[in-house]
Amino acid sequence: MSDPAVALGVKVFNRTEKLEALLESVPADEYDVVYVADDGRTEERTHLYERAWPFDLELIDLPYDAGLGPGRNAIVDALSEEYLTIVDSDHEVPTNAAMLVRQLEARPDFGGISGLLLEHGRIQGLCHDLFEEGDVLVRDTGSKTAETVAGYPLVAFDFVPNVVTFRRACLEERAWDENYVIGREHLDFFVGHWRGTDWRFGTCPAVLFPHHPGGGSEYDSNRLDRTKLLASKSYFREKWGYDQIVAREFWLGNQSIDRPLAVLDGSVPVPTWVGAKVMDLRDVRMRIEAATASASELLPEVAQR
């Protein structure tokens, strides 16, 4: 098997067909173990968990809707391998994913290196750096250059997409906050390392993970639940002491909870204080939408009385 030892980890809620496609994509002899942390209806995937695979599949059965943080931390707790590639169930693993380990071997100061996402024929990344301007967290990307590491390009960023090969020592020093069920858990992870550890992160643009987003109604209602998203943002801001979060620019893609703000012209970015006010208005709109949705759910019950 692989040397050094590498595992793959995925937290699952539902989307059984996507999980099957992920498992079938795992390159032969690249991963010693695949850890699946399941906080959905595990019995719906029994046929996958009992199937013979060219790797050891270890199921971690979690309480229903335990959340991403508990799921990923359970994987870290079970981990004995030196490296862990974290993906979502709607990803597939490319044949050159092992290059991320080679780059980590060559750069011991990096705690994790990601690939990029190949989504509907487009390359997505959302890579960026983190800055503080007063009490505002700024997500922004300036001019970047790539260095060649282990024969492949490597670009350093503070935040990289969720297709990352991590060094186990990095995750043991700081993993995921279990207070998040959905929303902000990725940003929280990288802010925690940015503010509290010396680990660096980066992305290898030559390693592309196919991404097939979306799911059934249960998945979508959970993933897009405005009440949960607002609660996560409120918790994040209180935890780190930020009044607001402003996204200026991401490298390759803009599909994020914090959608990047437009610029005034080609050279003048939106001032941070203006961006913070815009984000305040977005939050107000989301609260109204969440309250409206809750009221709509109550209408049938009231009508029956």
Side-chain angles (χ1 to χ4, degrees), residues 13 65 181-182 217-225 228:
F13 179 65
D65 201 20
V181 174
I182 200 72
S217 58
E218 184 180 19
Y219 170 82
D220 291 338
S221 62
N222 181 65
R223 182 68 183 86
L224 303 175
D225 187 302
K228 288 183 178 180

Side-chain angles (χ1 to χ4, degrees), residues 22-286:
L22 166 66
L23 295 175
E24 290 178 344
S25 75
V26 175
D29 298 326
E30 290 294 345
Y31 293 95
D32 298 277
V33 183
V34 173
Y35 296 95
V36 180
D38 194 328
D39 69 342
R41 297 180 176 85
T42 310
E43 65 278 3
E44 296 179 357
R45 288 169 286 283
T46 301
H47 63 290
L48 295 181
Y49 301 145
E50 295 180 349
R51 178 172 161 182
W53 297 99
F55 46 79
D56 292 332
L57 191 152
E58 292 198 14
L59 170 64
I60 303 172
D61 196 353
L62 301 170
Y64 184 79
D65 201 20
L68 183 140
R72 289 202 176 156
N73 288 344
I75 293 172
V76 175
D77 290 341
L79 185 67
S80 59
E81 292 72 28
E82 187 174 353
Y83 296 99
L84 173 67
T85 301
I86 283 287
V87 296
D88 286 334
S89 59
D90 58 1
H91 296 143
E92 293 180 14
V93 184
T95 56
N96 65 344
M99 185 51 60
L100 302 179
V101 173
R102 296 182 193 174
Q103 289 191 320
L104 285 169
E105 291 275 278
R107 293 299 302 269
D109 54 326
F110 276 68
I113 297 176
S114 80
L116 294 175
L117 301 174
L118 183 60
E119 182 179 310
H120 303 309
R122 299 181 63 185
I123 297 175
Q124 299 285 332
L126 302 182
C127 308
H128 57 274
D129 290 327
L130 302 170
F131 306 90
E132 291 177 345
E133 295 189 19
D135 294 328
V136 176
L137 175 67
V138 178
R139 310 173 69 178
D140 196 6
T141 300
S143 177
K144 287 286 182 176
T145 57
E147 58 178 311
T148 300
V149 177
Y152 273 58
L154 175 63
V155 186
F157 287 100
D158 296 328
F159 181 106
V160 295
N162 183 40
V163 282
V164 190
T165 296
F166 289 105
R167 200 181 301 274
R168 186 177 67 182
C170 170
L171 298 178
E172 289 177 340
E173 184 168 352
R174 189 177 194 98
W176 285 271
D177 186 331
E178 298 191 0
N179 287 290
Y180 295 95
V181 174
I182 200 72
R184 304 293 169 185
E185 62 275 1
H186 304 310
L187 181 60
D188 181 275
F189 175 89
F190 287 110
V191 168
H193 277 282
W194 178 60
R195 290 180 51 161
T197 77
D198 293 327
W199 292 110
R200 300 182 65 196
F201 299 93
T203 190
C204 178
V207 180
L208 300 178
F209 287 74
H211 184 210
H212 310 285
S217 58
E218 184 180 19
Y219 170 82
D220 291 338
S221 62
N222 181 65
R223 182 68 183 86
L224 303 175
D225 187 302
R226 291 176 175 84
T227 300
K228 288 183 178 180
L229 293 175
L230 285 167
S232 291
K233 183 172 183 178
S234 178
Y235 172 77
F236 176 90
R237 289 169 57 181
E238 182 176 352
K239 174 182 177 179
W240 296 110
Y242 294 123
D243 287 342
Q244 193 50 271
I245 306 164
V246 171
R248 286 182 178 158
E249 182 184 12
F250 295 150
W251 192 63
L252 294 174
N254 58 12
Q255 298 175 355
S256 167
I257 296 174
D258 297 324
R259 288 170 295 174
L261 299 171
V263 295
L264 297 179
D265 60 36
S267 60
V268 182
V270 174
T272 298
W273 69 269
V274 174
K277 294 298 183 183
V278 172
M279 294 307 299
D280 286 342
L281 292 174
R282 286 183 180 175
D283 290 346
V284 169
R285 184 183 67 183
M286 187 175 287

